[in-house]
Amino acid sequence: MTGLLRLIVLLCGLCLAPAALAEGDPEAGAVKAETCLGCHGIARYKNVYPTYKVPKVAGQSADYLVVALKAYQSGERSHPTMRSQAATMTEQDMQDIAAFLSQYSGDM
Ligand code: HEC
């Protein structure tokens, strides 16, 4: 009986684990996202060389933004500029920035 109880407790712990992940703090994210505005804040901004458009990140889902930032950090996404942006971010930084950007309605 105690064995079964333990198993139940263990399984419940596993189900609850994702809910325990850090929630992003949009106010902290607003400060951390200041450097991002330089590129992502300019509507239809294009670099002269190499010629690329900066994608709109405001209003996107926070989960998507975190996944994207992790992909730059791990090298799965290879864009050098964004790799260096994401290189030093902690999980909490990403959550905060994503929480801010997902609520931000300006051109970013
Ligand atoms: C020097 C310009 C520049 C700066 C500064 C910059 N970015 Fe980017 N960002 C880009 C470009 C260019 C891309 C498109 C890269 C690609 O094609 O993968 C991009 C892509 C992204 C994407 C993926 C968007 C998508 O639709 O998949 C996210 C998320 C992102 N940036 C977030 C940020 C955050 C957060 C910051 C600040 C910490 C930041 N960026 C700072 C230029 C910049």
Side-chain angles (χ1 to χ4, degrees):
M1 187 55 200
T2 33
L4 183 63
L5 204 62
R6 265 208 196 136
L7 186 65
I8 291 170
V9 170
L10 183 71
L11 288 175
C12 284
L14 290 177
C15 328
L16 292 177
L21 273 180
E23 283 279 306
D25 173 358
E27 275 173 36
V31 178
K32 292 174 184 175
E34 217 148 88
T35 50
C36 321
L37 286 163
C39 291
H40 290 282
I42 306 168
R44 292 177 295 281
Y45 173 70
K46 269 185 161 188
N47 273 23
V48 178
Y49 177 80
T51 304
Y52 53 43
K53 278 192 175 160
V54 180
K56 187 173 161 69
V57 292
Q60 295 215 37
S61 108
D63 289 343
Y64 173 80
L65 294 169
V66 170
V67 167
L69 290 171
K70 283 187 176 163
Y72 287 120
Q73 191 172 59
S74 72
E76 197 184 317
R77 284 197 188 196
S78 59
H79 198 278
T81 304
M82 280 310 303
R83 288 210 62 190
S84 63
Q85 291 292 325
T88 55
M89 284 183 196
T90 63
E91 168 83 29
Q92 189 66 52
D93 291 340
M94 293 182 188
Q95 296 285 352
D96 291 349
I97 290 171
F100 166 70
L101 290 177
S102 66
Q103 294 176 5
Y104 187 84
S105 55
D107 250 323
M108 185 169 177

